[in-house]
Amino acid sequence: MCSHQPPCPAADSADHDAARIVVSRPEQGWSLLCNGVVIFDDTGELLPDRRTVEPRRPALV
């Protein structure tokens, strides 16, 4: 999906959320990265293979 140089990290790499945004829908709370990952405002993620990454929220003290 990524066509620019240098290419963005793949969706299955540890730094996949460093890819460039290709579609942004801030009014809906999500953005699509060039590697196919959808990131949400709450820090949750949807990977291209339909797996989810839970939001990373700070621990309450």
Side-chain angles (χ1 to χ4, degrees):
M1 186 178 255
C2 180
S3 61
H4 50 272
Q5 294 297 324
C8 287
D12 58 356
S13 68
D15 61 344
H16 63 264
D17 53 349
R20 292 186 189 181
I21 295 174
V22 293
V23 177
S24 179
R25 295 291 185 257
E27 71 280 2
Q28 295 177 352
W30 61 271
S31 295
L32 173 65
L33 304 181
C34 68
N35 58 7
V37 174
V38 177
I39 56 172
F40 297 95
D41 287 351
D42 69 354
T43 71
E45 301 173 357
L46 179 61
L47 303 177
D49 63 2
R50 299 184 183 184
R51 288 182 296 141
T52 60
V53 176
E54 293 296 318
R56 294 175 294 274
R57 297 189 176 116
L60 298 176
V61 193

